[in-house]
Amino acid sequence: MHLALFGDSTLDNGAYTSGGPAVIDHLSRLLPEEDRATLLALDGATTHGIDNQLDRMPEGATEAVLSIGGNDAVMEIPVLEEPVGHVSEALTELSRATERFEEAYRRCLKEVLQAGLPTTGCTLYDGAFDEASGQQRVIDSALAMWNDVILQAALDYDCPVIDLRRVCTSRDDYTQQIEPSEQGGRKIAKALFR
């Protein structure tokens, strides 16, 4: 088995581990000696730049993992801060942002699938936002809509999915609210290995 890891800092978290092992390091230690993984994911990547990662796919890759969309979500944060008169207006704006993401995510997933490898998708995790102010609740609610896009696309293309919301469940799994720490990276690697 040769896993090709596509996506963003969820998989390319080396800059957020304070010098400790990153997802790729943990995964490489878990894999049997004859198997390997190649990190193609790039910190900061969005659904619009997956072709650059695909261009670097090594020969002999047998399976793909796609974990992307968090940076797309970050770019939509202003939608969450817009004043509205009614909840229905807020849902309408959030729905528009979700539709933009759906179009981009499906295109991205199709590009990865065109490489001809069995592909596993990953949902977006919830991060570690301020709970006292209600920020975490707002982020969780918005991301539920985005994760529905990921789950529906995976079902449509017969791709298994790792639900990272069930993997990174502790605030210690994150640094800077949305980046996997060494601990979070270890959990993600274990989920990929399973």
Side-chain angles (χ1 to χ4, degrees):
M1 179 173 59
H2 185 167
L3 288 172
L5 306 181
F6 298 100
D8 55 29
S9 61
T10 302
L11 300 175
D12 182 25
N13 71 321
Y16 307 102
T17 62
S18 301
V23 170
I24 189 66
D25 303 314
H26 291 297
L27 183 57
S28 295
R29 290 180 187 140
L30 291 168
L31 290 172
E33 191 174 307
E34 64 275 9
D35 296 336
R36 60 186 284 208
T38 298
L39 179 65
L40 302 163
L42 291 170
D43 183 8
T46 68
T47 53
H48 299 286
I50 202 70
D51 52 338
N52 294 328
Q53 295 178 33
L54 286 163
D55 288 343
R56 298 183 294 117
M57 187 168 66
E59 286 187 35
T62 60
E63 296 182 48
V65 174
L66 176 64
S67 183
I68 200 158
N71 294 311
D72 298 71
V74 167
M75 291 188 296
E76 295 286 359
I77 285 178
V79 170
L80 301 177
E81 297 168 346
E82 289 181 17
V84 294
H86 300 282
V87 172
S88 61
E89 292 174 22
L91 288 173
T92 298
E93 287 304 312
L94 195 51
S95 175
R96 288 185 182 125
T98 304
E99 287 170 5
R100 288 190 295 271
F101 177 65
E102 180 172 16
E103 182 180 328
Y105 184 82
R106 283 181 176 271
R107 181 194 44 73
C108 179
L109 178 58
K110 284 181 193 176
E111 287 183 50
V112 173
L113 289 170
Q114 285 172 355
L117 302 179
T119 300
T120 298
C122 297
T123 64
L124 305 176
Y125 43 54
D126 294 326
F129 294 89
D130 184 52
E131 292 180 347
S133 69
Q135 186 182 29
Q136 186 69 58
R137 184 173 289 183
V138 170
I139 296 294
D140 291 351
S141 297
L143 287 180
M145 295 174 74
W146 286 52
N147 280 322
D148 187 57
V149 165
I150 293 169
L151 292 169
Q152 292 299 321
L155 285 170
D156 289 347
Y157 292 104
D158 293 321
C159 297
V161 176
I162 297 170
D163 191 344
L164 292 179
R165 295 170 293 183
R166 293 174 170 260
V167 173
C168 295
T169 56
S170 165
R171 296 185 78 75
D172 292 334
D173 293 336
Y174 305 98
T175 62
Q176 300 178 18
Q177 298 178 318
I178 61 168
E179 306 298 351
S181 64
E182 179 182 345
Q183 174 179 299
R186 183 182 321 110
K187 288 181 174 183
I188 292 168
K190 285 181 178 178
L192 294 174
F193 179 69
R194 283 194 301 271

PDB file of all heavy atoms in Angstrom, residues 15-53:
ATOM      1  N   ALA A  15       4.143  22.299  10.903  1.00  0.00           N
ATOM      2  CA  ALA A  15       4.435  23.630  11.444  1.00  0.00           C
ATOM      3  C   ALA A  15       3.743  23.879  12.785  1.00  0.00           C
ATOM      4  O   ALA A  15       4.004  24.897  13.426  1.00  0.00           O
ATOM      5  CB  ALA A  15       4.005  24.704  10.439  1.00  0.00           C
ATOM      6  N   TYR A  16       2.892  22.964  13.223  1.00  0.00           N
ATOM      7  CA  TYR A  16       2.074  23.210  14.412  1.00  0.00           C
ATOM      8  C   TYR A  16       2.324  22.207  15.542  1.00  0.00           C
ATOM      9  O   TYR A  16       1.530  22.124  16.472  1.00  0.00           O
ATOM     10  CB  TYR A  16       0.591  23.197  14.022  1.00  0.00           C
ATOM     11  CG  TYR A  16       0.315  24.139  12.882  1.00  0.00           C
ATOM     12  CD1 TYR A  16       0.146  23.660  11.587  1.00  0.00           C
ATOM     13  CD2 TYR A  16       0.286  25.510  13.079  1.00  0.00           C
ATOM     14  CE1 TYR A  16      -0.072  24.524  10.523  1.00  0.00           C
ATOM     15  CE2 TYR A  16       0.077  26.389  12.025  1.00  0.00           C
ATOM     16  CZ  TYR A  16      -0.103  25.888  10.749  1.00  0.00           C
ATOM     17  OH  TYR A  16      -0.305  26.743   9.697  1.00  0.00           O
ATOM     18  N   THR A  17       3.409  21.460  15.462  1.00  0.00           N
ATOM     19  CA  THR A  17       3.659  20.416  16.458  1.00  0.00           C
ATOM     20  C   THR A  17       4.810  20.757  17.416  1.00  0.00           C
ATOM     21  O   THR A  17       5.256  19.888  18.160  1.00  0.00           O
ATOM     22  CB  THR A  17       3.971  19.082  15.764  1.00  0.00           C
ATOM     23  OG1 THR A  17       5.164  19.234  14.992  1.00  0.00           O
ATOM     24  CG2 THR A  17       2.820  18.633  14.878  1.00  0.00           C
ATOM     25  N   SER A  18       5.289  21.982  17.357  1.00  0.00           N
ATOM     26  CA  SER A  18       6.403  22.415  18.221  1.00  0.00           C
ATOM     27  C   SER A  18       7.607  21.486  18.081  1.00  0.00           C
ATOM     28  O   SER A  18       8.268  21.142  19.060  1.00  0.00           O
ATOM     29  CB  SER A  18       5.961  22.489  19.685  1.00  0.00           C
ATOM     30  OG  SER A  18       4.898  23.390  19.833  1.00  0.00           O
ATOM     31  N   GLY A  19       7.874  21.053  16.860  1.00  0.00           N
ATOM     32  CA  GLY A  19       9.027  20.192  16.601  1.00  0.00           C
ATOM     33  C   GLY A  19       8.758  18.712  16.780  1.00  0.00           C
ATOM     34  O   GLY A  19       9.622  17.882  16.493  1.00  0.00           O
ATOM     35  N   GLY A  20       7.561  18.358  17.245  1.00  0.00           N
ATOM     36  CA  GLY A  20       7.215  16.954  17.423  1.00  0.00           C
ATOM     37  C   GLY A  20       6.764  16.333  16.114  1.00  0.00           C
ATOM     38  O   GLY A  20       6.692  16.995  15.078  1.00  0.00           O
ATOM     39  N   PRO A  21       6.447  15.051  16.155  1.00  0.00           N
ATOM     40  CA  PRO A  21       6.011  14.360  14.946  1.00  0.00           C
ATOM     41  C   PRO A  21       4.701  14.923  14.393  1.00  0.00           C
ATOM     42  O   PRO A  21       3.815  15.310  15.147  1.00  0.00           O
ATOM     43  CB  PRO A  21       5.816  12.906  15.393  1.00  0.00           C
ATOM     44  CG  PRO A  21       6.446  12.790  16.727  1.00  0.00           C
ATOM     45  CD  PRO A  21       6.518  14.160  17.313  1.00  0.00           C
ATOM     46  N   ALA A  22       4.621  14.964  13.075  1.00  0.00           N
ATOM     47  CA  ALA A  22       3.420  15.406  12.382  1.00  0.00           C
ATOM     48  C   ALA A  22       2.607  14.185  11.958  1.00  0.00           C
ATOM     49  O   ALA A  22       3.028  13.036  12.168  1.00  0.00           O
ATOM     50  CB  ALA A  22       3.820  16.237  11.161  1.00  0.00           C
ATOM     51  N   VAL A  23       1.469  14.408  11.331  1.00  0.00           N
ATOM     52  CA  VAL A  23       0.610  13.308  10.874  1.00  0.00           C
ATOM     53  C   VAL A  23       1.416  12.302  10.053  1.00  0.00           C
ATOM     54  O   VAL A  23       1.351  11.091  10.308  1.00  0.00           O
ATOM     55  CB  VAL A  23      -0.579  13.844  10.031  1.00  0.00           C
ATOM     56  CG1 VAL A  23      -1.327  12.696   9.359  1.00  0.00           C
ATOM     57  CG2 VAL A  23      -1.536  14.658  10.885  1.00  0.00           C
ATOM     58  N   ILE A  24       2.189  12.771   9.088  1.00  0.00           N
ATOM     59  CA  ILE A  24       2.934  11.867   8.208  1.00  0.00           C
ATOM     60  C   ILE A  24       3.947  11.028   8.993  1.00  0.00           C
ATOM     61  O   ILE A  24       4.154   9.850   8.691  1.00  0.00           O
ATOM     62  CB  ILE A  24       3.623  12.636   7.039  1.00  0.00           C
ATOM     63  CG1 ILE A  24       4.208  11.672   6.002  1.00  0.00           C
ATOM     64  CG2 ILE A  24       4.660  13.607   7.550  1.00  0.00           C
ATOM     65  CD1 ILE A  24       3.198  10.866   5.242  1.00  0.00           C
ATOM     66  N   ASP A  25       4.550  11.625  10.025  1.00  0.00           N
ATOM     67  CA  ASP A  25       5.515  10.886  10.847  1.00  0.00           C
ATOM     68  C   ASP A  25       4.826   9.785  11.645  1.00  0.00           C
ATOM     69  O   ASP A  25       5.301   8.647  11.696  1.00  0.00           O
ATOM     70  CB  ASP A  25       6.248  11.842  11.799  1.00  0.00           C
ATOM     71  CG  ASP A  25       6.950  12.960  11.062  1.00  0.00           C
ATOM     72  OD1 ASP A  25       7.626  12.675  10.054  1.00  0.00           O
ATOM     73  OD2 ASP A  25       6.801  14.133  11.473  1.00  0.00           O
ATOM     74  N   HIS A  26       3.703  10.143  12.273  1.00  0.00           N
ATOM     75  CA  HIS A  26       2.945   9.143  13.037  1.00  0.00           C
ATOM     76  C   HIS A  26       2.475   8.017  12.119  1.00  0.00           C
ATOM     77  O   HIS A  26       2.586   6.839  12.465  1.00  0.00           O
ATOM     78  CB  HIS A  26       1.722   9.788  13.707  1.00  0.00           C
ATOM     79  CG  HIS A  26       2.040  10.731  14.817  1.00  0.00           C
ATOM     80  ND1 HIS A  26       2.670  10.338  15.978  1.00  0.00           N
ATOM     81  CD2 HIS A  26       1.799  12.056  14.955  1.00  0.00           C
ATOM     82  CE1 HIS A  26       2.804  11.369  16.794  1.00  0.00           C
ATOM     83  NE2 HIS A  26       2.276  12.439  16.188  1.00  0.00           N
ATOM     84  N   LEU A  27       1.950   8.387  10.963  1.00  0.00           N
ATOM     85  CA  LEU A  27       1.428   7.387  10.036  1.00  0.00           C
ATOM     86  C   LEU A  27       2.538   6.468   9.525  1.00  0.00           C
ATOM     87  O   LEU A  27       2.366   5.242   9.459  1.00  0.00           O
ATOM     88  CB  LEU A  27       0.729   8.079   8.864  1.00  0.00           C
ATOM     89  CG  LEU A  27       0.050   7.173   7.837  1.00  0.00           C
ATOM     90  CD1 LEU A  27      -0.990   6.265   8.497  1.00  0.00           C
ATOM     91  CD2 LEU A  27      -0.581   8.010   6.734  1.00  0.00           C
ATOM     92  N   SER A  28       3.676   7.038   9.204  1.00  0.00           N
ATOM     93  CA  SER A  28       4.802   6.232   8.713  1.00  0.00           C
ATOM     94  C   SER A  28       5.251   5.212   9.752  1.00  0.00           C
ATOM     95  O   SER A  28       5.658   4.096   9.400  1.00  0.00           O
ATOM     96  CB  SER A  28       5.966   7.142   8.312  1.00  0.00           C
ATOM     97  OG  SER A  28       5.593   7.943   7.214  1.00  0.00           O
ATOM     98  N   ARG A  29       5.162   5.578  11.028  1.00  0.00           N
ATOM     99  CA  ARG A  29       5.543   4.642  12.093  1.00  0.00           C
ATOM    100  C   ARG A  29       4.520   3.522  12.258  1.00  0.00           C
ATOM    101  O   ARG A  29       4.870   2.414  12.666  1.00  0.00           O
ATOM    102  CB  ARG A  29       5.708   5.392  13.407  1.00  0.00           C
ATOM    103  CG  ARG A  29       6.924   6.287  13.426  1.00  0.00           C
ATOM    104  CD  ARG A  29       7.067   7.028  14.740  1.00  0.00           C
ATOM    105  NE  ARG A  29       8.154   7.980  14.635  1.00  0.00           N
ATOM    106  CZ  ARG A  29       8.118   9.201  15.144  1.00  0.00           C
ATOM    107  NH1 ARG A  29       7.067   9.622  15.818  1.00  0.00           N
ATOM    108  NH2 ARG A  29       9.153  10.012  15.000  1.00  0.00           N
ATOM    109  N   LEU A  30       3.255   3.827  11.964  1.00  0.00           N
ATOM    110  CA  LEU A  30       2.194   2.834  12.121  1.00  0.00           C
ATOM    111  C   LEU A  30       2.150   1.823  10.980  1.00  0.00           C
ATOM    112  O   LEU A  30       1.790   0.667  11.186  1.00  0.00           O
ATOM    113  CB  LEU A  30       0.830   3.534  12.215  1.00  0.00           C
ATOM    114  CG  LEU A  30       0.563   4.340  13.482  1.00  0.00           C
ATOM    115  CD1 LEU A  30      -0.688   5.196  13.298  1.00  0.00           C
ATOM    116  CD2 LEU A  30       0.400   3.412  14.682  1.00  0.00           C
ATOM    117  N   LEU A  31       2.505   2.271   9.789  1.00  0.00           N
ATOM    118  CA  LEU A  31       2.400   1.408   8.616  1.00  0.00           C
ATOM    119  C   LEU A  31       3.418   0.269   8.667  1.00  0.00           C
ATOM    120  O   LEU A  31       4.548   0.462   9.133  1.00  0.00           O
ATOM    121  CB  LEU A  31       2.626   2.216   7.334  1.00  0.00           C
ATOM    122  CG  LEU A  31       1.534   3.213   6.956  1.00  0.00           C
ATOM    123  CD1 LEU A  31       1.994   4.085   5.782  1.00  0.00           C
ATOM    124  CD2 LEU A  31       0.237   2.495   6.613  1.00  0.00           C
ATOM    125  N   PRO A  32       3.043  -0.911   8.173  1.00  0.00           N
ATOM    126  CA  PRO A  32       4.022  -1.996   8.062  1.00  0.00           C
ATOM    127  C   PRO A  32       5.196  -1.556   7.185  1.00  0.00           C
ATOM    128  O   PRO A  32       5.050  -0.653   6.352  1.00  0.00           O
ATOM    129  CB  PRO A  32       3.227  -3.120   7.386  1.00  0.00           C
ATOM    130  CG  PRO A  32       1.798  -2.798   7.650  1.00  0.00           C
ATOM    131  CD  PRO A  32       1.712  -1.303   7.726  1.00  0.00           C
ATOM    132  N   GLU A  33       6.313  -2.192   7.355  1.00  0.00           N
ATOM    133  CA  GLU A  33       7.547  -1.790   6.673  1.00  0.00           C
ATOM    134  C   GLU A  33       7.397  -1.728   5.154  1.00  0.00           C
ATOM    135  O   GLU A  33       7.993  -0.877   4.499  1.00  0.00           O
ATOM    136  CB  GLU A  33       8.670  -2.764   7.056  1.00  0.00           C
ATOM    137  CG  GLU A  33      10.035  -2.302   6.624  1.00  0.00           C
ATOM    138  CD  GLU A  33      11.118  -3.226   7.147  1.00  0.00           C
ATOM    139  OE1 GLU A  33      11.147  -3.482   8.360  1.00  0.00           O
ATOM    140  OE2 GLU A  33      11.946  -3.680   6.316  1.00  0.00           O
ATOM    141  N   GLU A  34       6.580  -2.616   4.580  1.00  0.00           N
ATOM    142  CA  GLU A  34       6.442  -2.657   3.124  1.00  0.00           C
ATOM    143  C   GLU A  34       5.479  -1.584   2.586  1.00  0.00           C
ATOM    144  O   GLU A  34       5.382  -1.374   1.379  1.00  0.00           O
ATOM    145  CB  GLU A  34       5.976  -4.047   2.667  1.00  0.00           C
ATOM    146  CG  GLU A  34       4.595  -4.455   3.136  1.00  0.00           C
ATOM    147  CD  GLU A  34       4.565  -5.081   4.533  1.00  0.00           C
ATOM    148  OE1 GLU A  34       5.599  -5.050   5.240  1.00  0.00           O
ATOM    149  OE2 GLU A  34       3.494  -5.582   4.913  1.00  0.00           O
ATOM    150  N   ASP A  35       4.758  -0.911   3.466  1.00  0.00           N
ATOM    151  CA  ASP A  35       3.815   0.127   3.057  1.00  0.00           C
ATOM    152  C   ASP A  35       4.404   1.510   3.300  1.00  0.00           C
ATOM    153  O   ASP A  35       5.339   1.670   4.089  1.00  0.00           O
ATOM    154  CB  ASP A  35       2.504  -0.004   3.834  1.00  0.00           C
ATOM    155  CG  ASP A  35       1.778  -1.304   3.536  1.00  0.00           C
ATOM    156  OD1 ASP A  35       2.012  -1.868   2.450  1.00  0.00           O
ATOM    157  OD2 ASP A  35       1.000  -1.751   4.386  1.00  0.00           O
ATOM    158  N   ARG A  36       3.836   2.504   2.626  1.00  0.00           N
ATOM    159  CA  ARG A  36       4.340   3.863   2.838  1.00  0.00           C
ATOM    160  C   ARG A  36       3.248   4.884   2.561  1.00  0.00           C
ATOM    161  O   ARG A  36       2.204   4.573   1.995  1.00  0.00           O
ATOM    162  CB  ARG A  36       5.556   4.126   1.975  1.00  0.00           C
ATOM    163  CG  ARG A  36       5.322   3.993   0.483  1.00  0.00           C
ATOM    164  CD  ARG A  36       6.590   4.112  -0.301  1.00  0.00           C
ATOM    165  NE  ARG A  36       6.987   5.513  -0.369  1.00  0.00           N
ATOM    166  CZ  ARG A  36       7.689   6.025  -1.340  1.00  0.00           C
ATOM    167  NH1 ARG A  36       8.114   5.266  -2.333  1.00  0.00           N
ATOM    168  NH2 ARG A  36       8.008   7.282  -1.351  1.00  0.00           N
ATOM    169  N   ALA A  37       3.527   6.110   2.946  1.00  0.00           N
ATOM    170  CA  ALA A  37       2.629   7.235   2.696  1.00  0.00           C
ATOM    171  C   ALA A  37       3.458   8.403   2.182  1.00  0.00           C
ATOM    172  O   ALA A  37       4.591   8.602   2.614  1.00  0.00           O
ATOM    173  CB  ALA A  37       1.894   7.628   3.975  1.00  0.00           C
ATOM    174  N   THR A  38       2.885   9.162   1.252  1.00  0.00           N
ATOM    175  CA  THR A  38       3.536  10.355   0.713  1.00  0.00           C
ATOM    176  C   THR A  38       2.657  11.560   1.001  1.00  0.00           C
ATOM    177  O   THR A  38       1.468  11.568   0.651  1.00  0.00           O
ATOM    178  CB  THR A  38       3.776  10.223  -0.801  1.00  0.00           C
ATOM    179  OG1 THR A  38       4.652   9.117  -1.038  1.00  0.00           O
ATOM    180  CG2 THR A  38       4.399  11.492  -1.366  1.00  0.00           C
ATOM    181  N   LEU A  39       3.243  12.553   1.642  1.00  0.00           N
ATOM    182  CA  LEU A  39       2.517  13.779   1.961  1.00  0.00           C
ATOM    183  C   LEU A  39       2.556  14.719   0.768  1.00  0.00           C
ATOM    184  O   LEU A  39       3.609  15.211   0.374  1.00  0.00           O
ATOM    185  CB  LEU A  39       3.145  14.464   3.186  1.00  0.00           C
ATOM    186  CG  LEU A  39       2.498  15.773   3.616  1.00  0.00           C
ATOM    187  CD1 LEU A  39       1.063  15.545   4.086  1.00  0.00           C
ATOM    188  CD2 LEU A  39       3.324  16.422   4.726  1.00  0.00           C
ATOM    189  N   LEU A  40       1.389  14.964   0.178  1.00  0.00           N
ATOM    190  CA  LEU A  40       1.240  15.912  -0.919  1.00  0.00           C
ATOM    191  C   LEU A  40       0.451  17.137  -0.461  1.00  0.00           C
ATOM    192  O   LEU A  40       0.484  18.179  -1.111  1.00  0.00           O
ATOM    193  CB  LEU A  40       0.533  15.242  -2.102  1.00  0.00           C
ATOM    194  CG  LEU A  40       1.267  14.006  -2.627  1.00  0.00           C
ATOM    195  CD1 LEU A  40       0.349  13.164  -3.493  1.00  0.00           C
ATOM    196  CD2 LEU A  40       2.503  14.404  -3.396  1.00  0.00           C
ATOM    197  N   ALA A  41      -0.264  16.991   0.658  1.00  0.00           N
ATOM    198  CA  ALA A  41      -1.056  18.085   1.213  1.00  0.00           C
ATOM    199  C   ALA A  41      -0.155  19.268   1.556  1.00  0.00           C
ATOM    200  O   ALA A  41       1.021  19.083   1.894  1.00  0.00           O
ATOM    201  CB  ALA A  41      -1.781  17.612   2.480  1.00  0.00           C
ATOM    202  N   LEU A  42      -0.731  20.462   1.456  1.00  0.00           N
ATOM    203  CA  LEU A  42       0.024  21.684   1.741  1.00  0.00           C
ATOM    204  C   LEU A  42      -0.750  22.579   2.705  1.00  0.00           C
ATOM    205  O   LEU A  42      -1.933  22.881   2.470  1.00  0.00           O
ATOM    206  CB  LEU A  42       0.283  22.469   0.447  1.00  0.00           C
ATOM    207  CG  LEU A  42       1.242  21.834  -0.543  1.00  0.00           C
ATOM    208  CD1 LEU A  42       1.210  22.595  -1.869  1.00  0.00           C
ATOM    209  CD2 LEU A  42       2.649  21.814   0.034  1.00  0.00           C
ATOM    210  N   ASP A  43      -0.082  22.996   3.751  1.00  0.00           N
ATOM    211  CA  ASP A  43      -0.661  23.946   4.688  1.00  0.00           C
ATOM    212  C   ASP A  43      -1.170  25.163   3.910  1.00  0.00           C
ATOM    213  O   ASP A  43      -0.459  25.721   3.087  1.00  0.00           O
ATOM    214  CB  ASP A  43       0.427  24.361   5.698  1.00  0.00           C
ATOM    215  CG  ASP A  43      -0.078  25.287   6.775  1.00  0.00           C
ATOM    216  OD1 ASP A  43      -1.289  25.518   6.866  1.00  0.00           O
ATOM    217  OD2 ASP A  43       0.769  25.792   7.540  1.00  0.00           O
ATOM    218  N   GLY A  44      -2.405  25.545   4.138  1.00  0.00           N
ATOM    219  CA  GLY A  44      -2.983  26.702   3.469  1.00  0.00           C
ATOM    220  C   GLY A  44      -3.738  26.391   2.199  1.00  0.00           C
ATOM    221  O   GLY A  44      -4.374  27.268   1.612  1.00  0.00           O
ATOM    222  N   ALA A  45      -3.702  25.139   1.738  1.00  0.00           N
ATOM    223  CA  ALA A  45      -4.362  24.777   0.476  1.00  0.00           C
ATOM    224  C   ALA A  45      -5.878  24.892   0.595  1.00  0.00           C
ATOM    225  O   ALA A  45      -6.460  24.723   1.668  1.00  0.00           O
ATOM    226  CB  ALA A  45      -3.982  23.357   0.072  1.00  0.00           C
ATOM    227  N   THR A  46      -6.505  25.181  -0.542  1.00  0.00           N
ATOM    228  CA  THR A  46      -7.959  25.193  -0.640  1.00  0.00           C
ATOM    229  C   THR A  46      -8.378  24.205  -1.729  1.00  0.00           C
ATOM    230  O   THR A  46      -7.531  23.649  -2.430  1.00  0.00           O
ATOM    231  CB  THR A  46      -8.496  26.596  -1.015  1.00  0.00           C
ATOM    232  OG1 THR A  46      -8.095  26.906  -2.350  1.00  0.00           O
ATOM    233  CG2 THR A  46      -7.994  27.656  -0.038  1.00  0.00           C
ATOM    234  N   THR A  47      -9.667  24.054  -1.894  1.00  0.00           N
ATOM    235  CA  THR A  47     -10.196  23.151  -2.914  1.00  0.00           C
ATOM    236  C   THR A  47      -9.802  23.592  -4.318  1.00  0.00           C
ATOM    237  O   THR A  47      -9.830  22.788  -5.245  1.00  0.00           O
ATOM    238  CB  THR A  47     -11.729  23.076  -2.834  1.00  0.00           C
ATOM    239  OG1 THR A  47     -12.259  24.405  -2.876  1.00  0.00           O
ATOM    240  CG2 THR A  47     -12.175  22.379  -1.567  1.00  0.00           C
ATOM    241  N   HIS A  48      -9.408  24.848  -4.473  1.00  0.00           N
ATOM    242  CA  HIS A  48      -9.087  25.375  -5.803  1.00  0.00           C
ATOM    243  C   HIS A  48      -7.653  25.073  -6.253  1.00  0.00           C
ATOM    244  O   HIS A  48      -7.315  25.361  -7.393  1.00  0.00           O
ATOM    245  CB  HIS A  48      -9.332  26.881  -5.848  1.00  0.00           C
ATOM    246  CG  HIS A  48     -10.769  27.229  -5.576  1.00  0.00           C
ATOM    247  ND1 HIS A  48     -11.766  27.019  -6.495  1.00  0.00           N
ATOM    248  CD2 HIS A  48     -11.363  27.737  -4.481  1.00  0.00           C
ATOM    249  CE1 HIS A  48     -12.918  27.395  -5.984  1.00  0.00           C
ATOM    250  NE2 HIS A  48     -12.706  27.828  -4.761  1.00  0.00           N
ATOM    251  N   GLY A  49      -6.818  24.500  -5.396  1.00  0.00           N
ATOM    252  CA  GLY A  49      -5.427  24.278  -5.769  1.00  0.00           C
ATOM    253  C   GLY A  49      -4.994  22.827  -5.758  1.00  0.00           C
ATOM    254  O   GLY A  49      -3.797  22.533  -5.697  1.00  0.00           O
ATOM    255  N   ILE A  50      -5.945  21.903  -5.831  1.00  0.00           N
ATOM    256  CA  ILE A  50      -5.590  20.485  -5.703  1.00  0.00           C
ATOM    257  C   ILE A  50      -4.770  19.987  -6.888  1.00  0.00           C
ATOM    258  O   ILE A  50      -3.995  19.039  -6.751  1.00  0.00           O
ATOM    259  CB  ILE A  50      -6.867  19.627  -5.507  1.00  0.00           C
ATOM    260  CG1 ILE A  50      -6.508  18.287  -4.846  1.00  0.00           C
ATOM    261  CG2 ILE A  50      -7.607  19.416  -6.815  1.00  0.00           C
ATOM    262  CD1 ILE A  50      -6.087  18.399  -3.416  1.00  0.00           C
ATOM    263  N   ASP A  51      -4.896  20.630  -8.048  1.00  0.00           N
ATOM    264  CA  ASP A  51      -4.155  20.171  -9.228  1.00  0.00           C
ATOM    265  C   ASP A  51      -2.651  20.231  -9.012  1.00  0.00           C
ATOM    266  O   ASP A  51      -1.909  19.385  -9.493  1.00  0.00           O
ATOM    267  CB  ASP A  51      -4.560  20.956 -10.481  1.00  0.00           C
ATOM    268  CG  ASP A  51      -4.493  22.453 -10.299  1.00  0.00           C
ATOM    269  OD1 ASP A  51      -4.540  22.933  -9.152  1.00  0.00           O
ATOM    270  OD2 ASP A  51      -4.403  23.150 -11.323  1.00  0.00           O
ATOM    271  N   ASN A  52      -2.173  21.215  -8.228  1.00  0.00           N
ATOM    272  CA  ASN A  52      -0.738  21.296  -7.921  1.00  0.00           C
ATOM    273  C   ASN A  52      -0.271  20.076  -7.130  1.00  0.00           C
ATOM    274  O   ASN A  52       0.837  19.589  -7.317  1.00  0.00           O
ATOM    275  CB  ASN A  52      -0.422  22.564  -7.137  1.00  0.00           C
ATOM    276  CG  ASN A  52      -0.660  23.815  -7.952  1.00  0.00           C
ATOM    277  OD1 ASN A  52      -0.491  23.811  -9.161  1.00  0.00           O
ATOM    278  ND2 ASN A  52      -1.062  24.885  -7.291  1.00  0.00           N
ATOM    279  N   GLN A  53      -1.124  19.592  -6.240  1.00  0.00           N
ATOM    280  CA  GLN A  53      -0.780  18.405  -5.466  1.00  0.00           C
ATOM    281  C   GLN A  53      -0.835  17.148  -6.339  1.00  0.00           C
ATOM    282  O   GLN A  53       0.014  16.270  -6.229  1.00  0.00           O
ATOM    283  CB  GLN A  53      -1.721  18.275  -4.267  1.00  0.00           C
ATOM    284  CG  GLN A  53      -1.567  19.421  -3.272  1.00  0.00           C
ATOM    285  CD  GLN A  53      -2.526  19.325  -2.107  1.00  0.00           C
ATOM    286  OE1 GLN A  53      -2.875  18.233  -1.669  1.00  0.00           O
ATOM    287  NE2 GLN A  53      -2.948  20.473  -1.602  1.00  0.00           N
TER     288      GLN A  53
END
